[in-house]
Amino acid sequence: MSGAPESGRRVRILPDRVANQIAAGEVVERPASVVKELVENSLDAGARSVRVELRNGGKTFIRVADDGEGMGRPDALLALDRHATSKIRTAEDLEGVVSFGFRGEALPSIAAVSRFELETAPLDGGPATRIRVTGGKIVSSEEIARRPGTTVTVRSLFQNVPARAKFLRAAGAETRAVSEAVLLLALSNLRAAFHLDSNGRELLSLPPADTPADRVADIWGPEDAGQMLGLDTEVDGVRVGGLIQRPDAARAAGGRRYLFINGRPFRDRQVVRAVDEAYRTTVAPGLRPGFLLYLRVGGGQVDVNVHPAKAEVRFSDPSRVQRAVEEAVRSRLGAVSSAPGLGAETAAAATDTALAGRPPRMRPGSAPRVAERSSGDGGTGSDTPEPPQLGFFVSRARDEAPADPRAPAGEEGVPPLGAANLAVRPHAWQLHDSYILVSTRDGLLIVDQHSAHERVLFEEIMEKFRGSGAESQRLLFPLTLRLSPAEFAAVEELAGLLRAVGFEVEAFGDRTVIIHAAPNPHPYFDAEACFRDMVAELTHGSDLVNSARNQHERIAKSMACKGAIKAGQPLSRSEMEELVDRLFATELPGHDVHGRPTILRLTMEELARRFGRS
Ligand code: ADP
Ligand code: MG
């Protein structure tokens, strides 16, 4: 305020050193954040190899050395000034910024709270420089000899700021945080090699990788990599690539979950939720499938400058991104090629097919349910067309009920055997009355008949809830069942929903119900056993039904599980074919409602490999 007496002046511009210490509070929280900033600088400088050394969790010593473009002397001195950056010039440049750094805060902030040393030499062979800074003050600057690239050494972090030093954790905890930071950077920058040493011991040594799968294999081993499915697709302008864990490999703990946007790691609960949503009907409750998703959106659609450590971002249209992620993951899970290979030793084979960075075999656009029925259908081996027979899944009371459009009423009624890589109308065999073997264009599918039918029923029942309700069959001799009081109460409460899935139930007396009509999902269906099992499960709960989001889903999951065709049930050839057709007409054919695989596959390549032909 002009006119205020000089002595009353309180507002002052902070000296640089103080400003830097305050900024350091935001950017530099612990050794891991120092390492992150320095490694990002190395990557921004085009380094192909980054080496990180720590002592004592980084509290006494951090060194980051790179083979990047380095700096000449004037730049090196300038780089230590606050807001000195070579990466942007104007505020507009912030849009679509591709480098990690751009605030020009990291080096001065780190130098303000440590004993700091910068050694750097430019690629063009110009002279090399060493600058030493203590507590934010340049104490020496000299010419040295070294190869191109930059080495930054940070000693005695926070020693001049005891208030911050107090918050540092034990060396082990700080080391773990550094490893995690380096891992994140390694996962987002595949082209560079990374090394991390702690107290002279090597913690990480990663060669450059071609694909996320290669990097995952180098970090966590080929078994982990073999559990992942590769995906690479674009939905509504959002590119979604990376790896997702196969549902049957998902565990309750330890699912590694990483998100990257335009090459940078970020956190976003909504996007994580979108992934979980995509897995919802394929994994059992409480499981956390892992994923590494690399998203790309156009410049201007994401703001990376909303968080001091850049850990969060802001999308201009978050729900579009969430929808794209959900759809991409869901359709990947639905693809046949998400079917696991055979046996443990096929981790490598699985890596071949799903992980080698090749696009998944089936693109979302060719998902089974939208694929066209091939015109040559009915070709293979059907010289003598089988006589039309009662459909496997058709209510026997079909005369009374309107025909289910998806029921196999002659040729047009058969759902497309869509999977692009299924051979035209394949032969099917049954193994031990439990598994259906189907020959495909590129090998063999083994379908678990119970799991497959479970998936089919689940989706049909959910569809019926949305639509007209299930057809049911009036029973000639109604079933009378005596239930426990709790079960009886549950049936009374759920009567409307049970009717919607085809069970017409009447309460009779205090603990007795009469079933007048029952669904007829297949010819071998045991209505009484299914009803009893379902009621018990719905009354007492189970992992399966507890995972459901609402009553509809509870009933659908339970009914699918209890009502599906069982293992050990002999099936005719047309029944097998119909079951496989139906499976591929579902949205998520690869997994049953427990998250177990419905299909295993054996490719011709794998066969050739095993017979030593490759
Ligand atoms: P920012 O990364 O936000 O630009 P920094 O304080 O981290 O700010 O770095 C300041 C400048 O120093 C960078 O813009 C870059 O020009 C230069 N620099 C920092 N580290 C390196 C490095 N390892 N190799 C080459 N140049 C570097
Ligand atoms: Mg930086």
Side-chain angles (χ1 to χ4, degrees):
M1 298 211 174
S2 61
E6 192 66 18
S7 61
R9 275 188 113 169
R10 295 263 178 97
V11 178
R12 251 182 285 250
I13 301 286
L14 290 171
D16 266 1
R17 271 175 63 189
V18 181
N20 285 338
Q21 282 195 10
I22 293 172
E26 284 180 11
V27 186
V28 186
E29 204 188 337
R30 57 195 301 192
S33 35
V34 173
V35 169
K36 172 177 177 291
E37 293 292 336
L38 296 179
V39 174
E40 286 182 351
N41 281 347
S42 297
L43 295 167
D44 281 345
R48 279 162 306 147
S49 165
V50 182
R51 187 171 288 277
V52 180
E53 275 173 70
L54 300 180
R55 269 180 236 148
N56 196 18
K59 293 193 270 191
T60 52
F61 182 94
I62 298 170
R63 171 168 287 162
V64 174
D66 68 53
D67 60 355
E69 66 189 5
M71 285 175 276
R73 184 179 179 77
D75 277 349
L77 283 165
L78 201 59
L80 296 168
D81 273 350
R82 192 150 156 73
H83 301 308
T85 177
S86 56
K87 296 165 194 173
I88 56 172
R89 275 163 217 282
T90 65
E92 284 77 64
D93 289 349
L94 264 179
E95 269 200 19
V97 64
V98 291
S99 56
F100 287 108
F102 51 76
R103 296 175 192 237
E105 284 181 334
L107 292 188
S109 300
I110 296 166
V113 293
S114 67
R115 274 166 46 224
F116 178 95
E117 185 181 288
L118 168 70
E119 287 183 4
T120 186
L123 272 181
D124 62 15
T129 309
R130 175 194 290 140
I131 300 172
R132 291 204 170 107
V133 184
T134 297
K137 253 209 162 111
I138 295 185
V139 293
S140 74
S141 127
E142 60 205 312
E143 195 172 315
I144 54 164
R146 64 158 281 148
R147 57 189 162 64
T150 302
T151 301
V152 173
T153 309
V154 176
R155 294 183 173 86
S156 314
L157 185 65
F158 296 142
Q159 219 166 68
N160 60 340
V161 204
R164 298 205 65 83
K166 266 209 320 248
F167 287 101
L168 290 180
R169 314 256 304 276
E174 296 297 343
T175 304
R176 272 194 299 283
V178 170
S179 304
E180 185 61 24
V182 174
L183 217 59
L184 260 185
L185 287 156
L187 286 168
S188 36
N189 298 273
L190 305 179
R191 290 283 140 73
F194 289 84
H195 299 274
L196 171 62
D197 281 14
S198 164
N199 299 326
R201 213 163 53 88
E202 181 176 88
L203 296 186
L204 215 58
S205 175
L206 302 173
D210 285 332
T211 65
D214 291 346
R215 183 116 290 169
V216 166
D218 286 332
I219 297 174
W220 292 298
E223 293 76 24
D224 282 34
Q227 297 181 343
M228 308 291 278
L229 305 167
L231 80 167
D232 186 4
T233 181
E234 186 168 325
V235 183
D236 197 11
V238 181
R239 183 87 184 271
V240 185
L243 301 168
I244 58 175
Q245 197 172 23
R246 276 209 321 264
D248 59 305
R251 298 287 171 268
R256 302 187 181 96
R257 313 185 121 196
Y258 296 99
L259 292 172
F260 306 90
I261 177 71
N262 296 350
R264 127 208 337 272
F266 75 109
R267 291 189 301 240
D268 190 320
R269 288 232 210 105
Q270 311 293 350
V271 174
V272 170
R273 191 172 308 158
V275 177
D276 280 329
E277 198 56 27
Y279 270 99
R280 202 168 43 78
T281 62
T282 63
V283 300
L287 298 189
R288 282 169 34 105
F291 53 81
L292 296 93
L293 289 180
Y294 296 78
L295 313 184
R296 292 209 168 265
V297 297
Q301 293 176 49
V302 59
D303 184 357
V304 295
N305 193 27
V306 295
H307 187 272
K310 309 187 195 87
E312 285 160 24
V313 300
R314 188 182 294 137
F315 292 107
S316 60
D317 186 353
S319 59
R320 182 155 69 108
V321 175
Q322 291 151 27
R323 276 196 311 273
V325 166
E326 184 176 337
E327 194 179 320
V329 173
R330 193 194 306 279
S331 56
R332 184 63 182 90
L333 291 173
V336 187
S337 50
S338 75
L342 294 177
E345 63 278 42
T346 53
T351 305
D352 281 354
T353 51
L355 288 175
R358 274 189 246 154
R361 240 162 250 273
M362 280 180 43
R363 298 317 202 91
S366 66
R369 64 208 157 94
V370 297
E372 286 302 320
R373 188 179 167 82
S374 120
S375 55
D377 212 325
T380 345
S382 55
D383 356 340
T384 41
E386 293 189 29
Q389 57 159 292
L390 256 192
F392 184 10
F393 296 95
V394 185
S395 162
R396 284 183 172 158
R398 197 156 111 208
D399 304 341
E400 302 145 35
D404 177 351
R406 286 163 64 168
E411 278 293 291
E412 322 83 70
V414 183
L417 181 68
N421 57 346
L422 271 185
V424 178
R425 182 46 85 182
H427 278 296
W429 302 270
Q430 199 179 21
L431 183 67
H432 287 245
D433 295 338
S434 299
Y435 299 101
I436 302 169
L437 310 185
V438 189
S439 153
T440 69
R441 221 165 264 153
D442 71 346
L444 173 73
L445 293 184
I446 305 173
V447 178
D448 178 317
Q449 66 189 41
H450 172 73
S451 296
H453 196 209
E454 206 178 277
R455 166 57 55 189
V456 168
L457 277 186
F458 174 75
E459 292 194 10
E460 283 183 2
I461 295 164
M462 291 306 285
E463 190 55 44
K464 300 223 159 99
F465 278 134
R466 284 187 279 272
S468 54
E471 308 119 53
S472 61
Q473 186 179 1
R474 205 138 269 287
L475 301 176
L476 222 45
F477 303 101
L479 296 166
T480 304
L481 304 181
R482 194 163 159 79
L483 304 172
S484 76
E487 288 173 343
F488 183 79
V491 169
E492 278 202 304
E493 186 194 331
L494 297 173
L497 290 172
L498 289 170
R499 179 185 302 264
V501 300
F503 282 108
E504 218 179 290
V505 191
E506 184 197 354
F508 182 79
D510 59 345
R511 287 167 53 185
T512 303
V513 295
I514 302 178
I515 302 178
H516 291 290
N520 189 26
H522 58 83
Y524 316 104
F525 181 69
D526 179 342
E528 180 177 345
C530 173
F531 186 82
R532 280 194 179 280
D533 290 351
M534 254 178 92
V535 168
E537 181 167 52
L538 293 168
T539 306
H540 307 295
S542 71
D543 280 354
L544 178 66
V545 298
N546 295 347
S547 72
R549 259 195 323 188
N550 51 41
Q551 285 291 22
H552 286 158
E553 225 179 77
R554 271 167 69 85
I555 298 214
K557 283 188 163 184
S558 184
M559 166 93 193
C561 174
K562 310 301 179 208
I565 191 101
K566 303 248 183 306
Q569 175 63 56
L571 300 175
S572 75
R573 204 184 117 194
S574 60
E575 286 169 342
M576 288 185 255
E577 288 174 356
E578 189 184 332
L579 176 55
V580 174
D581 277 359
R582 290 261 169 144
L583 177 64
F584 285 116
T586 63
E587 215 171 317
L588 296 169
H591 303 278
D592 69 12
V593 295
H594 302 269
R596 292 184 298 240
T598 52
I599 309 162
L600 292 179
R601 58 187 204 132
L602 181 58
T603 62
M604 295 305 284
E605 283 158 53
E606 171 70 1
L607 273 175
R609 201 178 63 75
R610 297 213 179 189
F611 284 112
R613 284 171 176 274
S614 51

